[in-house]
C-alpha cells in the first residue's frame, strides 16, 4: 500500500462566486495604499473594470493602471509595468485579466520586491523571499494562474518561453468571479478551457515520485499527490461537462460558473503536481506558430494520453469515470474511452487535430522534439519516460494525427 503524500500551496484567501469582484476593495485596503493594477488595453476600457477602479478609490486605495500587457507576455512589457510600479511607489499589485495579465502581475510584484531582471529568477526556487502583496482576478477560465506558483514569460534571448516557479509567486488573494467570463468570445473560451482540461489531466496522470523529507524543498512541482488528485478529478468532471456548452452558448450561467470553478481547481492541481509532455511540446510549437497556448497543449493532449496509457491506465480509467464514459467496461477499455472522449470534446470546440494543422512543417519536428526535452521541469513529470527517441515518436504522431503510432510503441 502506497503511503499517503499530499501537498497544498494556496493563496491565503481564495474566494469564488458570481459578483465577488465587489469584494476587491475590502481585501486591497488591508494590504496596501498604492496599488499598481496590471491589465491589458481591452480590459482597461471595460465598464466592469472601471467600476472596480472607482470602488478601490472609494476605499482610499490609490491606483495606477498599467494596461500594456501583451498576449504571450514578452519581457519588454513586464519591464514597462515595472517602471510604472516604481514611479508610482506601489506597495500592492493587482492583476486583472487572462493568464498573461496575472503572470505579468506576479513578475512585476517580484521585481518590485527583489530587483533585477526576470532572467535572474528563471527556474525553480530562485525567488529569495516574499513578494509585494498580490491580488489576482481572472477574467478567463483557463490558466489557473490566480492560484499557481509559476509565471511564464517570452524572453527575446531564448527560442521558447521560460518559467519562474516559486511558492512566493502564489497570490495573497484570488477572487474568481465567473461573471467576468460571461462576455468571453467563443475562441477564447475554447482555448482557455482546453488549457484547463489539459492541466487537470496532466496533473492527475503525472508521475508519482518517491517521497523524501526534502521533496517539497527540492521541487516546486512535487508530482501526483493526494490533494492534487482530488482537485484534478473534480476539475475534469466540471470542465468536460461545461466546456462545449459554454462555447456554444456563452450566456449559459451554469456552464460558465462550472467552467471557472474547474479552471481554478485545475490550477490547484497542477500548482503542486505540475504538468508534463503536452506543455513541454507546446513551448516550441507556440514559438514557431504563435498560436494560443491553450490551443497548442490541447492539440497535444490526446496524443500524450495515448502515449502515456501504458504507464497510467488506472488513472485514465478514473478520468473516464469523471467524464461519465465507459461505464461497465474493463479498465483498459475505460482508459481508451477517456482518450476518445477527450479527443471528441476538443474536436467539438474547434481544436485542430494535428501539429500539421497548426502550421508546423515536417522539417521542424526535430527541433521541436529537442526543445521539448529541454523543458526538464515538465519532462520529469511525465509518467512514461521521455528520451530523444520517444519524444520524436510522440511529436511525429501528433504531426500526422495518428494516435495509434504511440500506442504500438508502448
Amino acid at each position: 500500500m502506497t503511503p499517503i503524500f499530499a501537498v497544498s500551496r494556496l493563496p491565503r484567501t481564495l474566494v469564488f462566486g458570481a459578483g465577488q469582484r465587489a469584494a476587491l476593495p475590502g481585501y486591497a485596503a488591508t494590504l496596501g495604499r498604492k496599488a499598481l493594477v496590471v491589465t491589458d488595453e481591452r480590459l482597461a476600457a471595460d465598464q466592469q473594470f472601471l467600476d472596480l477602479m472607482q470602488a478601490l478609490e472609494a476605499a482610499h486605495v490609490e491606483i495606477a493602471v498599467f494596461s500594456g500587457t501583451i498576449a504571450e507576455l514578452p519581457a519588454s512589457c513586464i519591464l514597462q509595468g515595472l517602471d510604472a510600479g516604481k514611479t508610482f511607489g506601489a506597495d500592492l499589485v493587482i492583476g486583472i485579466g487572462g493568464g498573461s495579465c496575472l503572470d505579468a502581475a506576479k513578475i512585476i510584484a517580484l521585481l518590485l520586491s527583489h530587483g533585477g531582471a526576470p532572467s535572474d529568477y528563471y527556474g525553480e526556487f530562485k525567488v529569495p523571499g516574499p513578494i509585494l502583496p498580490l491580488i489576482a482576478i481572472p477574467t478567463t477560465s483557463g490558466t489557473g494562474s490566480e492560484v499557481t506558483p509559476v509565471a511564464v514569460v517570452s524572453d527575446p534571448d531564448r527560442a521558447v518561453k521560460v518559467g519562474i516557479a516559486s511558492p512566493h509567486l502564489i497570490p495573497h488573494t484570488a477572487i474568481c468571479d465567473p461573471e467576468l467570463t460571461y462576455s468571453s468570445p467563443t475562441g477564447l473560451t475554447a482555448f482557455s478551457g482546453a488549457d484547463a482540461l489539459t492541466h487537470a489531466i496532466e496533473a492527475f496522470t503525472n508521475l508519482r515520485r518517491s517521497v523524501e523529507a526534502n521533496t517539497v524543498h527540492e521541487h516546486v512541482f512535487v508530482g501526483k499527490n493526494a490533494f492534487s488528485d482530488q482537485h484534478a478529478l473534480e476539475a475534469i468532471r466540471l470542465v468536460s461537462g461545461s466546456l462545449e456548452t459554454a462555447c456554444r452558448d456563452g450566456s449559459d450561467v451554469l456552464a460558465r460558473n462550472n467552467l471557472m470553478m474547474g479552471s481554478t481547481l485545475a490550477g490547484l492541481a497542477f500548482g503542486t503536481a505540475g504538468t508534463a509532455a503536452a506543455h513541454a511540446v507546446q513551448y516550441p510549437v507556440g514559438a514557431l506558430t504563435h498560436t494560443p497556448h491553450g490551443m497548442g497543449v490541447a492539440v497535444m493532449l490526446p496524443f500524450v494520453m495515448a502515449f502515456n496509457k501504458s504507464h497510467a491506465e488506472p488513472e485514465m480509467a478514473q478520468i473516464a469515470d469523471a467524464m461519465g464514459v465507459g461505464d461497465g467496461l474493463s479498465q483498459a477499455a475505460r482508459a481508451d474511452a477517456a482518450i476518445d472522449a477527450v479527443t471528441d470534446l476538443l474536436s467539438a470546440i474547434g481544436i485542430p487535430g494535428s501539429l500539421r494543422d497548426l502550421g508546423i512543417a515536417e522539417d521542424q519536428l526535430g527541433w521541436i522534439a529537442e526543445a521539448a526535452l529541454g523543458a526538464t521541469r515538465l519532462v520529469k513529470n511525465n509518467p512514461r519516460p521521455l528520451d530523444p527517441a520517444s519524444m520524436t515518436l510522440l511529436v511525429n504522431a501528433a504531426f500526422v494525427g495518428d494516435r495509434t503510432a504511440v500506442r504500438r510503441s508502448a
Side-chain angles (χ1 to χ4, degrees), residues 96-123:
I96 303 177
S100 293
C101 292
L102 302 189
D103 281 3
K106 289 177 174 180
I107 300 174
I108 291 168
L110 161 62
L111 299 179
L112 285 172
S113 301
H114 299 292
S119 58
D120 296 331
Y121 305 99
Y122 292 165

Side-chain angles (χ1 to χ4, degrees), residues 67-130:
S67 60
T69 307
I70 302 171
E72 304 306 315
L73 203 56
S76 58
C77 79
I78 291 173
L79 297 180
Q80 292 168 10
L82 174 63
D83 287 342
K86 286 180 177 178
T87 300
F88 180 57
D91 59 7
L92 166 67
V93 177
I94 301 172
I96 303 177
S100 293
C101 292
L102 302 189
D103 281 3
K106 289 177 174 180
I107 300 174
I108 291 168
L110 161 62
L111 299 179
L112 285 172
S113 301
H114 299 292
S119 58
D120 296 331
Y121 305 99
Y122 292 165
E124 295 187 77
F125 291 117
K126 299 292 180 61
V127 179

